[in-house]
Amino acid sequence: MRLWIRNPLGIVADKAGGGIIVDGAIIAELVPAGGSPALPVDAVFDASRHVVLPGLINTHHHFYQTLTRAHPAAIDRELFPWLTALYPLWARLTPDDLRLAVRVALTELLLSGCTMAADHHYLYPKGLENAVDIAVEEARALGIRATISRGSMNLSQKDGGLPPDSVVQDEETILTDSERVLSLFHDPAPGSMIQIALAPCSPFSVTPALMKKSAELAARFDAPLHTHLAETRDEDAYCLEVYGKRPLDLLEETGWMRPKTWLAHGVHFSCEECEKLGAAGVGVCHCPTSNGVLASGFCRTRELEAAGAPLGLGVDGSASNDGSNLMEELRHALLINRLRYESAAAVTARDVIRWATEGSARCLGRSDIGRIAPGMQADLALFCLDELRFSGAHDPVAALVLCGANRADRVMVAGAWRVIDGAVPGLDLAALRRSHGMAAKRYA
Ligand SMILES: [Zn+2]
């Protein structure tokens, strides 16, 4: 089946004014403006109302947190007090509620133009041992590509960590389950729909020994590594006090400085640390909305990119954003970075689109997605400019960011339409909203 997505209103790809030929799961050909395909086609989709982007890729989220958005216990707090307010509520999480939370987060992401999402699940109260299995099942059901991070915490309050004892596991349990889910689900091949990353949560909730053993296990499976790092000044102070070193030095000592490692936030890196990350090929997921909500600070995006570090975007999840809309995140990234660098030219609409696509793909260690080019996976996000907010817009690509696009009209993953006319086919959105809302009441 060969489909011609014909004559888009705008497109982020070189020499593709006439559109794209999708053959199965792959982009087969780009058609120049006014041209026709070299290959015969079976079907045509008229894209004259659509701006076509590579599918957006979200590189940091905690799907379960959709159950505790805008929670009175946590709003208006910074990270450490925000976490200590929420841990006891999250300790109640059940498999059924997690399933609804994942479905909501993935649906929100899909509807915002996202074709691939990374989740970081580090919370394992009793009874929730199959959290990764649930996330994998839900991603498969919706047809979205995913990197599900088997997160972990093994340093609780009794050992000087931040989380309570009820949400952590011991090192052996964590490593045994990590190996189980890697063996079951991790597919490192090109075109892969599901990958598993190992993701000890943060320097104040895991031991350096677990960081080291997770890195060794991930290397055996050719799997990515993920953690929160350099998010707050409190984290810097904790690492200096407990370990006598900065967070990045801790990372280096535990064997994490390699490609296929990506870090959430990366707010408090020095210029010298940015250089180190670039030289090692370690990626950073920039989460501007979460950093703004928790008042964590500004990420050195320009310095990281200049040093060669992969730079992606993430909504973070979903009690510190508190939405899961990746297209909105692009707008926030543009605004926050212009403020940070006090320059309108420092970051453009096309820069933030690049971060959310090619940059995010590099963070996740993927070279088969993130760009519209022959041979790449056919992951696409199509936006209409029909809403009043776009009326009068001249540059259709810049308009997505500057006028505030937040809902895709069509989303294609591996050549299959997963969003049609702004909806997920077969999904009863009202019923999902109802059952998720009911479930969230249990975390009041
Ligand atoms: Zn996070």
Side-chain angles (χ1 to χ4, degrees), residues 45 53 64 91 115-116 122 192 228 257 305 308 319-320 329 401 408 411 419 444:
F45 175 79
L53 303 185
Y64 75 89
T115 52
M116 174 156 190
Y122 53 80
S192 158
H228 295 93
M257 293 294 275
E305 272 211 307
S320 65
E329 198 71 27
V401 179
V411 175
V419 173

Side-chain angles (χ1 to χ4, degrees), residues 142-173:
L142 284 165
I144 189 169
R145 235 180 264 282
T147 294
I148 304 298
S149 302
R150 202 298 178 190
S152 54
M153 299 197 291
N154 72 334
L155 188 72
S156 65
Q157 284 162 2
K158 71 172 164 34
D159 301 314
L162 201 67
D165 301 346
S166 56
V167 292
V168 306
Q169 294 177 308
D170 63 53
E171 185 186 291
E172 198 192 328
T173 307

